[in-house]
């Protein structure tokens, strides 16, 4: 593996600036690496020519001393982001040949700061899944212990695996119920889901509009902070995007946790959670104590309803959001003798099982006669869950939980859907509450698979989350290049 | 079945019972605005198919709606004009259904929390009495596109120009009792919206269309089951469709049948309604709040500011015109029908005899416009010219009869009446000696008739007046002619 692939964002920026290597050289390294890691099935589309052109422009900028914040940083993009003149499919057959004429706000901001687009990364179909197994073009393989063919997590499985296998320096993903944090934990990297409204949703293929949020997947906290700074900010084209000021997140990193109160919710110690993950959490508690934080036991009793609420709200929105894939204007069309038959055939062939299942659940919970019992009630509980977080955040600054109940499982091993849905049990509450959360790698379990922990914070306190995450990162010393990682 | 036994409009005498219609209207009024409700695309009518389509309108993946502030203001203005409550908090919902000309697979509308609540307007019933009609609500929604099925033998075409254009749906209470009342309600709503310039009211272009809910009941009984007739775009069709539908329902009920609650279509060629879909087939629209849009919260100051800026509305204006210009309620009603008429009238009537101006405007001007098939705004007579014409009548420069001639020239040439009168030498003759000259010549030419008159045939006086006017080419002042003739023929 080229030594250049070992460098993180700040090292790369410095290296190019000092003329140790060029953006084009670095980009070529990554494109070669993408070739070599093809077996992991991460990239749906590699935009090699474009990447080289962008790198040439980056080198020009360095030459002219006009380098921007992410000048020359090679990035992989989850296939939920629409990318101008690059095929964008949401890992679905129904969009298999869709080429947008527009660029999502978040990816556009990255390119405008000089980042380089390596290509599009696989994910669960329409981001519905926790294992990347629902992708139309097949699952991604977790780079850790790749011979064991394990799941990278989902839905941003391609994004997490690409960063973990050094096939992208950074990646962007979307998180609706854990789709950034859970794969980040499975792949031993840092995954940040910002506050709802922090990043524009414009140009991101919608799954569940009130939950979807873009975020970075990176090798470390500092890279994450740098990426988020560029990605975040108000967008007049997204009515739900926030007007909140975007601070320089890197300014938070060295502040430590001294004097901070970290809450440990007892409800997250549920049965079914792996012993080793609980042990990692205890280890992180020790890091915090050693660094002068106060540990406070807190309670979030409504947590047990979060998953049920999520599986009503998200499918309800999805059933409506996915109605536009009807074969009339773009994407797949399977002809039929009437409009209705064309719809049935197109959507029957175009959508995979999990997507169909969620459309049906969503249609059901919004139907007259069921709306009040399901959708409306779920919205009420969702509000209560938000209130519960607000209350706890009056007592503590941050909350520490495991990111996932288990480490990566073998692909195809989870037959039972409810077990699959349980993967998101620790990440879903923050999504419902709209609060920011991050997964930070801590350890490898006895099978050599990464374990992550999650830090949750108040709305728009991503800076503080990075600050706390940095303490974990510095203490845990997790090595992305250790035994078992993809060579 | 009408016109028997003094029954009133809106009543139907069946074989067994006297029935009464109960009607409620849902008016869809397209908001006058440059761009659509949630996209920046142009809302202009008459463009090439699919010319006014943005990425949002075509529901491309990842596109998001952004509310058009101007359309919100238009809705508030309309709400005030309907004497309605403006809701400070309202919500946009998705109404989900599949159709080829609905790209998103849902229409963004307002369901449980509309922007405008209850209000009312005044109409005149068949006896010309004032009647209050309740407004249930006004809400904002997107229009759908258009499916064209007649362009190709086996394919349908879709035009998305109209997709996403802002509509106000104005729902009345079931307060209307006859097709005529329904028509007068639609005219009034149209007029009000045109006054506040929130809708151009152009029914031919589809800017204003109505769904009519019709049921019948025996006098004084509870409401019956209703049917909804969709998408009527003229008051004539509204009247016809309601009458047909009510009679159809009476026939069914009198034969002991039941009315199925259903949606019906009006066939303009046969004048009949037919079933489109019944209640069982009705869509389950699965309404839920659109998560792409935040609830709409309005500031009290904005609501009040828009209220303060409202123009004078037809009812108030009519009252003022009656008082100020001493015109009849009928004249006022005609003049306030359109804001343009009223504006015109007030210029034409300035410092003039208001009633005279009203007569000229309603009879001559409107008559000429209709005859020439012109739109009011294209009429060649500016209000200043009508004012001047009436002035010339008032100060006896011309007679009413000559004035009609002058008016025809005004219509033809757009010239000022003074110039026309001058050019053609049409000034009224008010000089006694000149008129006496005319009279003398008439007397000389009709010696025999004078004889008969003096012998008691009084009726001949009119003949002499006519002859004198003829000799003067209509320019002699008729009063003077009368006076002078009388004294000459003594």
């Amino acid at each position: 593996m080229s030594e250049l692939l070992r460098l993180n964002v700040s090292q790369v920026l410095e290296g190019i600036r000092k003329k140790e290597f060029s953006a084009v050289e670095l980009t070529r390294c990554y494109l070669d690496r993408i070739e070599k890691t093809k077996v992991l099935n991460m990239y749906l589309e590699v935009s090699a020519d474009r990447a080289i052109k962008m790198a040439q422009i980056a080198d020009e900028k360095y030459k002219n001393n006009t380098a921007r914040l992410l000048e020359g940083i090679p990035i992989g993009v989850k296939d939920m982001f629409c990318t101008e003149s690059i095929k964008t499919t949401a890992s679905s057959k129904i969009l298999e040949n869709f080429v947008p004429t527009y660029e999502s706000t978040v990816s556009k901001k990255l390119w405008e700061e000089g980042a380089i687009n390596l290509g599009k990364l696989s994910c669960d179909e329409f981001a519905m899944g926790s294992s990347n197994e629902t992708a139309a073009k097949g699952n991604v393989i977790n780079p850790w212990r790749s011979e064991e063919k394990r799941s990278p997590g989902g839905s941003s499985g391609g994004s997490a695996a690409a960063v973990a296998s050094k096939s992208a320096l950074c990646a962007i993903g979307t998180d609706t119920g854990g789709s950034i944090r859970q794969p980040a934990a499975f792949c031993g990297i840092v995954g940040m889901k910002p506050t709802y409204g922090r990043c524009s949703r414009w140009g991101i293929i919608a799954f569940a509009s009130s939950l979807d949020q873009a975020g970075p997947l990176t090798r470390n906290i500092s890279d994450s902070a740098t990426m988020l700074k560029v990605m975040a900010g108000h967008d007049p084209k997204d009515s739900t995007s926030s007007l909140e000021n975007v601070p320089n997140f890197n300014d938070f990193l060295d502040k430590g946790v001294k004097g901070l109160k970290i809450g440990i919710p007892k409800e997250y110690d549920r049965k079914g959670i792996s012993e080793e993950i609980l042990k990692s959490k205890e280890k992180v508690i020790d890091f915090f104590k050693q660094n002068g934080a106060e540990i406070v036991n807190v309670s979030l009793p409504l947590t047990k309803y979060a998953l049920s609420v999520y599986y009503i709200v998200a499918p309800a929105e999805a059933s409506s959001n996915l109605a536009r894939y009807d074969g009339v204007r773009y994407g797949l069309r399977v002809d039929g003798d009437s409009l209705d038959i064309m719809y049935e055939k197109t959507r029957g062939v175009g959508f995979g099982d999990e997507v169909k299942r969620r459309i049906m659940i969503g249609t059901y919970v919004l139907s007259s006669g069921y709306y009040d019992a399901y959708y409306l009630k779920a919205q009420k509980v969702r509000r209560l869950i938000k209130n519960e977080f607000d209350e706890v955040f009056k007592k503590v600054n941050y909350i520490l939980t495991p990111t996932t109940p288990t480490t990566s499982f073998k692909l195809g091993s989870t037959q039972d859907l409810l077990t699959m849905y349980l993967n998101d049990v620790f990440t879903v509450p923050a999504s419902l509450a709209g609060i920011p959360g991050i997964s930070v790698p801590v350890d490898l379990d006895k099978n050599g698979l990464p374990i992550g922990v999650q830090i949750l914070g108040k709305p728009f306190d991503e800076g503080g989350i990075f600050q706390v995450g940095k303490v974990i990162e510095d203490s845990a010393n997790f090595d992305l290049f250790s035994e078992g990682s993809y060579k | 079945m009408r016109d028997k036994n003094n029954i009133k409009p809106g009543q139907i005498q069946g074989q067994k019972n006297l029935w009464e219609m109960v009607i409620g209207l849902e008016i869809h009024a397209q908001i006058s605005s440059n761009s659509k409700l949630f996209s920046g695309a142009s809302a202009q009518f008459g463009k090439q198919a699919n010319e006014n389509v943005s990425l949002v309108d075509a529901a491309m993946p990842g596109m998001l709606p952004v509310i058009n502030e101007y359309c919100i203001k238009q809705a508030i203005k309309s709400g005030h004009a309907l004497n309605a409550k403006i809701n400070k908090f309202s919500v946009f919902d998705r109404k989900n259904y599949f159709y080829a000309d609905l790209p998103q697979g849902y229409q963004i509308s307002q369901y449980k929390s509309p922007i405008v609540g209850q209000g009312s307007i005044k109409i005149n019933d068949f006896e010309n009495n004032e009647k209050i009609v309740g407004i249930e609500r006004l809400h904002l929604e997107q229009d759908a596109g258009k499916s064209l099925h007649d362009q190709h033998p086996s394919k349908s075409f879709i035009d998305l120009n109209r997709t996403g254009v802002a509509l106000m749906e104005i729902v009345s209470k079931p307060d209307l009792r006859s097709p005529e009342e329904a028509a007068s309600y639609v005219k009034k709503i149209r007029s009000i919206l045109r006054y506040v310039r929130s809708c151009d009211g152009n029914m031919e272009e589809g800017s204003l269309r109505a769904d009519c809910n019709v049921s019948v009941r025996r006098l004084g009984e509870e409401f019956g089951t209703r049917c909804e007739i969709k998408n009527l775009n003229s008051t004539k069709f509204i009247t016809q469709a309601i009458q047909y539908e009510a009679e159809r329902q009476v026939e069914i009920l009198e034969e002991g049948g039941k009315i199925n609650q259903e949606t019906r279509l009006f066939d303009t060629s046969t004048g009949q309604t037919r079933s489109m879909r019944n209640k069982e087939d009705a869509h389950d629209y699965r309404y839920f709040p659109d998560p792409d849009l935040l609830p709409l919260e309005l500031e009290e100051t904005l609501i009040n500011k828009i209220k303060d800026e409202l123009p004078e509305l037809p009812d108030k204006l009519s009252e003022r015109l009656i008082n100020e210009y001493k015109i009849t309620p009928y004249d006022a009603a005609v003049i306030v029908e359109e804001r343009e008429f009223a504006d015109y009238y007030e210029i034409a009537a300035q410092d003039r005899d208001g009633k005279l101006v009203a007569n000229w405007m309603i009879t001559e001007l409107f008559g000429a416009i209709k005859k020439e098939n012109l739109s009011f705004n294209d009429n060649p007579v500016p209000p200043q010219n009508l004012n001047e014409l009436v002035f010339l009548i008032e100060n006896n420069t011309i007679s009413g009869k000559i004035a009609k001639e002058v008016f025809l020239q005004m219509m033809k040439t757009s010239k000022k009446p003074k110039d026309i009168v001058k050019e053609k030498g049409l000034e009224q003759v008010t000089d006694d000696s000149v008129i006496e000259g005319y009279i003398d010549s008439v007397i000389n030419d009709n010696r025999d008739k004078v004889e008969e008159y003096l012998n008691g045939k009084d009726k001949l006086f009119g003949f002499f007046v006519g002859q004198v006017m003829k000799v003067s080419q209509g320019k002699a002042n008729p009063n003077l002619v009368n006076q002078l003739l009388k004294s000459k023929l003594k």
Side-chain angles (χ1 to χ4, degrees), chain A residues 82 98 102 201-204 209 236-240 320-321 323-325 329-330 343 347 363 366-368 371 375, chain B residues 55 58-66 94 96 98-100 103-106 112 284 286-289 291-292 294:
Chain A
C82 288
F98 177 64
Y102 47 92
R201 292 185 294 113
W202 193 89
I204 299 175
S209 312
K237 291 189 285 188
D238 174 4
S239 312
T240 64
S320 175
N321 282 335
R324 64 187 57 197
Y325 308 108
R329 297 166 313 285
Y330 51 79
Y343 283 155
R347 290 166 68 84
T363 304
L366 289 175
S367 301
S368 70
Y371 180 90
Y375 185 78
Chain B
L55 295 169
M60 300 306 283
M63 291 303 100
L64 298 171
V66 176
R94 291 187 185 176
N96 295 282
F98 281 92
Y99 201 63
Q104 293 169 135
Y106 55 83
K112 284 185 182 157
D284 181 351
R286 292 171 283 123
Y287 281 100
F288 75 108
D292 287 333
L294 300 171

Side-chain angles (χ1 to χ4, degrees), chain B residues 318-388:
Chain B
S318 160
E319 233 170 78
R320 184 169 65 78
L321 294 184
I322 292 168
N323 290 330
E324 218 168 282
Y325 297 93
K326 311 293 175 214
I327 56 176
T328 64
Y330 169 79
D331 290 343
V334 175
I335 289 169
V336 303
E337 202 176 297
E338 298 280 354
R339 187 167 162 181
E340 288 73 20
F341 297 173
D343 290 346
Y344 185 101
Y345 174 76
E346 294 216 72
I347 298 170
Q350 195 181 1
D351 302 325
R352 298 283 79 80
D353 175 343
K355 176 63 190 157
L356 194 53
V357 174
N359 290 347
W360 272 90
M361 187 170 160
I362 293 169
T363 317
E364 302 303 326
L365 180 65
F366 285 179
I369 286 172
K370 198 172 174 191
K371 203 170 139 199
E372 304 280 324
N373 223 344
L374 294 172
S375 82
F376 183 75
N377 291 326
D378 294 337
N379 110 65
V381 179
Q384 292 80 2
N385 287 8
L386 186 61
N387 184 299
E388 192 178 292

Side-chain angles (χ1 to χ4, degrees), chain A residues 207-270:
Chain A
F207 159 18
S209 312
S210 74
L211 296 154
D212 293 346
Q213 190 52 207
L217 295 101
T218 57
R219 295 183 194 175
N220 61 35
I221 298 282
S222 165
D223 290 2
S224 189
T226 307
M227 285 283 286
L228 185 60
K229 169 73 182 166
V230 174
M231 295 165 70
H234 177 68
D235 180 2
K237 291 189 285 188
D238 174 4
S239 312
T240 64
S241 86
S242 169
L243 289 159
E244 197 80 17
N245 173 50
V246 180
N248 189 356
F249 296 117
N250 276 299
D251 291 349
F252 290 80
L253 300 195
D254 299 323
K255 292 186 173 173
V257 291
K258 192 156 195 251
L260 290 181
K261 290 180 180 165
I262 312 280
I264 314 292
K266 65 175 183 205
E267 290 78 9
Y268 284 62
D269 284 346
R270 48 176 296 145

Side-chain angles (χ1 to χ4, degrees), chain B residues 227-250:
Chain B
C227 290
E228 183 183 20
I229 315 162
K230 279 273 176 207
N231 234 356
L232 298 164
N233 68 348
S234 84
T235 46
K236 189 179 123 197
F237 294 150
I238 288 170
T239 320
Q240 284 178 1
I242 292 173
Q243 187 67 35
Y244 176 87
E245 176 59 19
E247 287 174 9
R248 185 189 72 89
Q249 292 183 14
V250 165

Side-chain angles (χ1 to χ4, degrees), chain B residues 410-460:
Chain B
M410 289 160 67
M411 281 296 294
K412 262 188 209 146
T413 63
S414 280
K415 281 185 182 162
K416 289 176 170 254
K418 266 184 188 159
D419 297 341
I420 295 169
V421 167
K422 211 174 198 179
E423 258 171 46
K424 306 221 158 189
L426 295 172
E427 289 98 338
Q428 188 159 239
V429 177
T430 51
D431 185 330
D432 285 9
S433 59
V434 176
I435 293 177
E436 276 170 2
Y438 296 149
I439 292 175
D440 290 345
S441 76
V442 169
I443 289 175
N444 274 332
D445 293 350
N446 297 282
R447 284 281 166 208
D448 47 339
K449 295 259 171 36
V450 175
E451 205 70 17
E452 287 174 44
Y453 177 79
L454 292 174
N455 287 336
K457 205 167 176 187
D458 292 348
K459 275 186 198 162
L460 279 170

